[in-house]
Amino acid sequence: MKRVICLFSLFLAFTANAQYGNRDSNRIGISGGLTQMSVFSDQFNAKPESGWTGGFSLRGNYYNDWQMAFGMNFTESNFSLAPLLGTKDINYKLSAVQIFLTGSYMIIENHLTFEIGPVLQINGKLGVDKEDELKLLKDSPLLTAKDIVDVTKINGNLYAGVTAGIKNLRLHVSYQYGVNNFMNNLNKSDDLKLLNGDKNFKANYGILSGMITVYL
Protein backbone atom coordinates (compact mmCIF):
# COMPACT_ATOMS: atom_id res chain seq x y z
CA MET A 1 0.00 0.00 0.00
CA LYS A 2 2.89 2.40 0.78
CA ARG A 3 4.29 1.91 -2.74
CA VAL A 4 0.89 2.63 -4.28
CA ILE A 5 0.57 5.84 -2.26
CA CYS A 6 4.09 7.02 -3.15
CA LEU A 7 3.75 6.31 -6.87
CA PHE A 8 0.34 7.94 -7.07
CA SER A 9 1.54 11.03 -5.17
CA LEU A 10 4.49 11.45 -7.53
CA PHE A 11 2.24 11.04 -10.57
CA LEU A 12 -0.20 13.64 -9.26
CA ALA A 13 2.62 16.09 -8.46
CA PHE A 14 4.21 15.78 -11.92
CA THR A 15 0.84 16.13 -13.65
CA ALA A 16 -0.09 19.19 -11.63
CA ASN A 17 3.29 20.81 -12.35
CA ALA A 18 2.95 20.14 -16.08
CA GLN A 19 -0.46 21.77 -16.15
CA TYR A 20 0.37 24.70 -13.88
CA GLY A 21 0.21 27.24 -16.69
CA ASN A 22 -3.45 26.45 -17.35
CA ARG A 23 -4.88 27.02 -13.88
CA ASP A 24 -8.50 27.59 -15.01
CA SER A 25 -8.94 24.07 -16.35
CA ASN A 26 -6.51 22.05 -14.24
CA ARG A 27 -6.82 22.59 -10.50
CA ILE A 28 -5.51 20.77 -7.46
CA GLY A 29 -8.12 20.10 -4.77
CA ILE A 30 -7.64 19.34 -1.08
CA SER A 31 -10.66 17.67 0.55
CA GLY A 32 -11.97 16.60 3.92
CA GLY A 33 -15.28 15.43 5.30
CA LEU A 34 -17.44 12.81 7.00
CA THR A 35 -18.68 9.36 5.97
CA GLN A 36 -21.35 6.87 6.96
CA MET A 37 -20.74 3.22 6.13
CA SER A 38 -23.48 0.61 5.73
CA VAL A 39 -22.88 -3.14 5.35
CA PHE A 40 -25.39 -5.17 3.34
CA SER A 41 -25.51 -8.85 4.28
CA ASP A 42 -28.15 -11.56 4.68
CA GLN A 43 -26.30 -12.77 7.76
CA PHE A 44 -24.89 -9.75 9.59
CA ASN A 45 -27.28 -7.06 10.77
CA ALA A 46 -24.80 -4.20 10.79
CA LYS A 47 -25.55 -0.68 11.98
CA PRO A 48 -24.14 2.28 10.03
CA GLU A 49 -21.65 4.45 11.89
CA SER A 50 -19.87 7.73 11.14
CA GLY A 51 -16.27 8.09 9.98
CA TRP A 52 -14.03 10.52 8.13
CA THR A 53 -12.31 10.96 4.78
CA GLY A 54 -9.73 13.29 3.29
CA GLY A 55 -7.41 13.54 0.32
CA PHE A 56 -6.38 15.38 -2.79
CA SER A 57 -7.37 15.44 -6.46
CA LEU A 58 -6.75 17.01 -9.84
CA ARG A 59 -9.69 18.28 -11.91
CA GLY A 60 -9.50 19.31 -15.56
CA ASN A 61 -11.65 20.06 -18.60
CA TYR A 62 -12.19 17.09 -20.90
CA TYR A 63 -14.73 17.75 -23.66
CA ASN A 64 -17.47 20.36 -24.00
CA ASP A 65 -19.41 20.26 -20.69
CA TRP A 66 -17.44 17.33 -19.31
CA GLN A 67 -14.56 17.39 -16.87
CA MET A 68 -12.41 14.58 -15.47
CA ALA A 69 -11.21 14.27 -11.90
CA PHE A 70 -8.77 11.82 -10.40
CA GLY A 71 -7.21 11.61 -6.98
CA MET A 72 -6.71 9.74 -3.75
CA ASN A 73 -8.67 9.73 -0.50
CA PHE A 74 -7.78 8.27 2.87
CA THR A 75 -10.77 7.00 4.83
CA GLU A 76 -11.70 5.53 8.17
CA SER A 77 -15.20 4.09 7.95
CA ASN A 78 -17.16 2.49 10.77
CA PHE A 79 -20.00 0.06 11.35
CA SER A 80 -21.14 -1.96 14.36
CA LEU A 81 -22.47 -5.44 15.15
CA ALA A 82 -24.47 -6.63 18.15
CA PRO A 83 -22.77 -8.98 20.67
CA LEU A 84 -24.36 -12.24 21.78
CA LEU A 85 -24.27 -11.00 25.39
CA GLY A 86 -24.62 -7.42 26.55
CA THR A 87 -26.12 -4.31 25.03
CA LYS A 88 -23.06 -2.38 23.86
CA ASP A 89 -22.46 -2.85 20.14
CA ILE A 90 -19.06 -3.91 18.80
CA ASN A 91 -17.54 -1.16 16.65
CA TYR A 92 -15.45 -2.01 13.58
CA LYS A 93 -13.12 0.47 11.87
CA LEU A 94 -12.09 0.08 8.24
CA SER A 95 -9.02 2.10 7.21
CA ALA A 96 -8.58 2.33 3.46
CA VAL A 97 -7.03 4.21 0.56
CA GLN A 98 -9.27 5.09 -2.38
CA ILE A 99 -8.00 5.91 -5.88
CA PHE A 100 -10.71 7.36 -8.11
CA LEU A 101 -11.31 8.53 -11.67
CA THR A 102 -14.62 10.26 -12.32
CA GLY A 103 -16.35 12.01 -15.18
CA SER A 104 -18.08 15.25 -14.22
CA TYR A 105 -20.91 16.78 -16.23
CA MET A 106 -21.13 20.55 -15.70
CA ILE A 107 -24.80 21.42 -15.13
CA ILE A 108 -23.79 24.98 -14.18
CA GLU A 109 -20.18 25.81 -14.96
CA ASN A 110 -18.05 26.35 -11.82
CA HIS A 111 -21.13 25.84 -9.60
CA LEU A 112 -22.90 22.49 -10.07
CA THR A 113 -21.77 19.14 -11.51
CA PHE A 114 -22.91 15.53 -11.55
CA GLU A 115 -20.14 12.95 -11.19
CA ILE A 116 -19.84 9.24 -11.79
CA GLY A 117 -16.99 6.77 -12.07
CA PRO A 118 -14.97 3.86 -10.61
CA VAL A 119 -13.04 3.76 -7.34
CA LEU A 120 -10.29 1.32 -6.40
CA GLN A 121 -10.33 0.80 -2.62
CA ILE A 122 -7.39 -0.82 -0.81
CA ASN A 123 -8.40 -2.01 2.65
CA GLY A 124 -6.55 -2.82 5.82
CA LYS A 125 -7.89 -5.27 8.37
CA LEU A 126 -10.92 -4.23 10.36
CA GLY A 127 -10.03 -2.62 13.67
CA VAL A 128 -11.85 -3.63 16.83
CA ASP A 129 -11.27 -2.56 20.44
CA LYS A 130 -9.13 -4.92 22.51
CA GLU A 131 -11.88 -5.48 25.08
CA ASP A 132 -14.30 -6.53 22.32
CA GLU A 133 -12.09 -9.01 20.45
CA LEU A 134 -13.31 -12.15 22.23
CA LYS A 135 -16.98 -11.22 22.37
CA LEU A 136 -19.28 -13.60 20.48
CA LEU A 137 -21.38 -12.18 17.65
CA LYS A 138 -25.16 -12.28 17.96
CA ASP A 139 -25.59 -12.95 14.23
CA SER A 140 -23.16 -15.90 14.29
CA PRO A 141 -22.72 -17.13 17.90
CA LEU A 142 -19.69 -19.36 17.24
CA LEU A 143 -17.65 -16.44 15.88
CA THR A 144 -15.81 -13.88 17.99
CA ALA A 145 -15.47 -10.25 16.99
CA LYS A 146 -11.83 -10.69 15.92
CA ASP A 147 -12.61 -13.71 13.70
CA ILE A 148 -13.97 -11.52 10.88
CA VAL A 149 -11.39 -8.71 10.77
CA ASP A 150 -9.32 -10.05 7.82
CA VAL A 151 -11.61 -8.75 5.07
CA THR A 152 -10.95 -8.54 1.32
CA LYS A 153 -7.99 -6.24 0.66
CA ILE A 154 -9.02 -4.81 -2.72
CA ASN A 155 -12.53 -3.67 -3.60
CA GLY A 156 -14.03 -2.00 -6.65
CA ASN A 157 -16.62 0.70 -5.95
CA LEU A 158 -19.12 2.51 -8.13
CA TYR A 159 -19.23 6.23 -7.35
CA ALA A 160 -21.99 8.78 -8.01
CA GLY A 161 -22.39 12.24 -6.56
CA VAL A 162 -22.95 15.95 -7.02
CA THR A 163 -20.74 18.95 -6.32
CA ALA A 164 -21.99 22.44 -5.64
CA GLY A 165 -20.38 25.73 -4.73
CA ILE A 166 -18.12 28.34 -6.24
CA LYS A 167 -15.02 28.01 -8.39
CA ASN A 168 -12.51 27.46 -5.60
CA LEU A 169 -14.74 25.96 -2.89
CA ARG A 170 -17.10 23.01 -3.43
CA LEU A 171 -19.33 20.74 -1.38
CA HIS A 172 -19.31 17.10 -2.54
CA VAL A 173 -22.11 14.71 -1.62
CA SER A 174 -21.55 11.20 -2.95
CA TYR A 175 -22.39 7.54 -2.55
CA GLN A 176 -20.15 4.54 -3.23
CA TYR A 177 -21.22 0.92 -3.52
CA GLY A 178 -18.70 -1.91 -3.25
CA VAL A 179 -19.47 -4.29 -6.08
CA ASN A 180 -17.41 -7.29 -4.93
CA ASN A 181 -17.80 -9.40 -1.80
CA PHE A 182 -16.31 -7.39 1.07
CA MET A 183 -15.89 -10.54 3.22
CA ASN A 184 -14.75 -12.99 0.55
CA ASN A 185 -11.26 -13.26 2.04
CA LEU A 186 -12.80 -14.97 5.09
CA ASN A 187 -14.00 -17.81 2.85
CA LYS A 188 -10.40 -18.96 2.39
CA SER A 189 -10.46 -20.38 5.92
CA ASP A 190 -12.36 -23.67 6.22
CA ASP A 191 -12.32 -23.30 10.01
CA LEU A 192 -14.09 -19.94 9.85
CA LYS A 193 -16.65 -21.26 7.38
CA LEU A 194 -17.37 -24.16 9.73
CA LEU A 195 -17.87 -21.75 12.65
CA ASN A 196 -20.14 -19.75 10.35
CA GLY A 197 -22.54 -22.69 10.04
CA ASP A 198 -20.69 -24.09 7.00
CA LYS A 199 -21.85 -21.06 5.00
CA ASN A 200 -19.92 -18.62 2.85
CA PHE A 201 -19.35 -15.12 4.14
CA LYS A 202 -20.94 -12.52 1.90
CA ALA A 203 -21.37 -8.78 2.33
CA ASN A 204 -21.21 -5.57 0.33
CA TYR A 205 -20.83 -2.06 1.66
CA GLY A 206 -22.12 1.40 0.84
CA ILE A 207 -20.37 4.63 1.83
CA LEU A 208 -22.23 7.94 1.97
CA SER A 209 -19.92 10.94 2.24
CA GLY A 210 -20.00 14.70 2.44
CA MET A 211 -16.77 16.58 1.72
CA ILE A 212 -15.54 20.13 1.35
CA THR A 213 -12.91 20.67 -1.35
CA VAL A 214 -10.68 23.74 -1.65
CA TYR A 215 -9.20 24.18 -5.15
CA LEU A 216 -5.80 25.88 -5.32
Side-chain angles (χ1 to χ4, degrees):
M1 186 181 294
K2 290 181 179 179
R3 291 181 180 179
V4 173
I5 293 172
C6 289
L7 289 173
F8 186 86
S9 298
L10 287 172
F11 178 69
L12 182 62
F14 289 145
T15 303
N17 183 67
Q19 300 294 340
Y20 188 80
N22 196 5
R23 294 288 296 276
D24 288 339
S25 61
N26 296 275
R27 290 174 291 149
I28 299 173
I30 301 174
S31 305
L34 300 175
T35 66
Q36 187 176 66
M37 180 179 180
S38 300
V39 175
F40 307 106
S41 172
D42 292 336
Q43 178 183 5
F44 296 104
N45 185 24
K47 295 181 182 179
E49 302 289 351
S50 298
W52 61 266
T53 184
F56 47 88
S57 60
L58 183 69
R59 177 181 295 271
N61 292 335
Y62 179 66
Y63 179 76
N64 288 342
D65 293 331
W66 284 92
Q67 294 181 328
M68 296 290 289
F70 69 93
M72 174 183 289
N73 288 327
F74 304 89
T75 72
E76 186 180 275
S77 302
N78 295 269
F79 65 94
S80 60
L81 297 175
L84 179 63
L85 301 174
T87 58
K88 182 184 176 183
D89 289 336
I90 300 169
N91 189 76
Y92 287 91
K93 294 181 180 180
L94 175 64
S95 297
V97 175
Q98 296 180 335
I99 300 172
F100 62 87
L101 176 65
T102 61
S104 303
Y105 180 75
M106 293 185 289
I107 301 171
I108 303 175
E109 187 175 2
N110 292 324
H111 297 292
L112 182 65
T113 64
F114 171 75
E115 304 187 344
I116 190 169
V119 177
L120 176 67
Q121 179 165 315
I122 304 170
N123 302 316
K125 290 184 178 181
L126 294 177
V128 63
D129 291 339
K130 191 76 173 178
E131 61 268 24
D132 291 333
E133 288 183 347
L134 298 180
K135 290 183 179 179
L136 297 173
L137 299 176
K138 182 179 180 179
D139 296 325
S140 191
L142 296 180
L143 291 169
T144 65
K146 70 175 183 179
D147 284 336
I148 64 169
V149 299
D150 194 11
V151 294
T152 303
K153 297 300 185 292
I154 297 178
N155 275 83
N157 304 346
L158 292 178
Y159 172 102
V162 295
T163 68
I166 57 178
K167 186 174 182 180
N168 295 319
L169 183 66
R170 302 281 183 91
L171 169 66
H172 300 257
V173 178
S174 66
Y175 186 80
Q176 298 180 46
Y177 181 77
V179 296
N180 55 306
N181 183 359
F182 169 56
M183 292 186 172
N184 191 50
N185 197 50
L186 301 175
N187 293 321
K188 297 177 181 179
S189 171
D190 292 334
D191 291 339
L192 284 181
K193 287 177 63 177
L194 185 61
L195 291 174
N196 196 40
D198 204 25
K199 297 182 296 185
N200 282 335
F201 294 88
K202 190 178 189 308
N204 300 80
Y205 59 73
I207 301 175
L208 177 67
S209 64
M211 302 176 67
I212 297 291
T213 298
V214 177
Y215 287 104
L216 306 179

